[in-house]
Amino acid sequence: MSALPARPIVILISGSGSNMTALVEASRQRRWAQRFGAGVVAVISNRPDAVGLGWAREQGIATAVIDHKQHADRETFDAALMQAIDAHRPALVLLAGFMRILTPGFVRHYEGRLINIHPSLLPAFAGLKTHQRAIEAGCRFAGATVHRVTSELDHGEYLEQAVVPVLPGDTAEALAARVLSQEHMIYPLAVERLLAAG
Ligand code: GAR
């Protein structure tokens, strides 16, 4: 068994977890353990059926489910989530397609170590259905943003952005796939830069 990293990383997912996979693969290929003492130690989902959980398990990464449907309100859900996360003493908590709005108390607790990726060129199109909204607005470009999390939804310091063209006849699905392939590059890049900065 490999030693626990000095700088543990916990990833939160709700769905397919392709950004999580990109982060885990980058951590290995780019030797984050040796270079920064960092590694992904746990993947936690609010949905028991999140596809990414299976992949994480196969990789030997600890997984947990904190099902929001089993909690009466946001406060009790966030408290249970915090307990599961804090068991790993994370240096960074990475939201990777984690589709829950977090309470201000949760965000404060992880201030400075909580990062998100959002599928738009913020500050445009915070919230949901970003690709459909970009197409309907007639945008020629769309993209993704890696940012620090603050209690205001999809705000906080931008750490990295990627731009893709919106092509004639694009559907939300086609645009989402184009953006997602960029997300897989900029999320690891932004995290690596944070790790290198100490
Ligand atoms: C990604 O496009 C991510 O930016 C987005 O969900 C997708 C998750 O894909 N996140 C949000 O919309 C957060 N509000 P993945 O599970 O394959 O990484």
Side-chain angles (χ1 to χ4, degrees), residues 15-20 96-99 116-119 127 154 180 183:
S16 58
S18 69
N19 276 293
M20 167 208 66
F98 187 68
M99 304 306 280
N116 183 41
I117 187 156
H118 180 76
D154 298 330
L180 194 60
E183 292 184 39

Side-chain angles (χ1 to χ4, degrees), residues 69-176:
K69 293 190 181 141
Q70 305 292 326
H71 293 271
D73 51 40
R74 272 189 208 286
E75 278 69 27
T76 55
F77 168 70
D78 278 12
L81 185 58
M82 270 161 62
Q83 202 174 14
I85 296 170
D86 286 349
H88 300 282
R89 302 183 176 280
L92 286 176
V93 178
L94 307 178
L95 308 180
F98 187 68
M99 304 306 280
R100 300 291 302 168
I101 292 175
L102 298 161
T103 55
F106 183 100
V107 173
R108 247 192 327 273
H109 183 73
Y110 296 106
E111 197 177 343
R113 351 175 234 161
L114 187 59
I115 312 294
N116 183 41
I117 187 156
H118 180 76
S120 80
L121 282 175
L122 291 173
F125 307 122
L128 298 174
K129 299 196 186 302
T130 54
H131 307 299
Q132 188 60 40
R133 287 158 65 205
I135 290 169
E136 282 167 9
C139 294
R140 296 303 178 95
F141 293 94
T145 305
V146 180
H147 65 98
R148 290 188 192 276
V149 177
T150 62
S151 52
E152 198 178 346
L153 182 69
D154 298 330
H155 277 67
E157 180 193 352
Y158 305 153
L159 301 174
E160 192 56 75
Q161 291 190 303
V163 181
V164 304
V166 180
L167 300 178
D170 252 353
T171 59
E173 291 70 29
L175 181 55

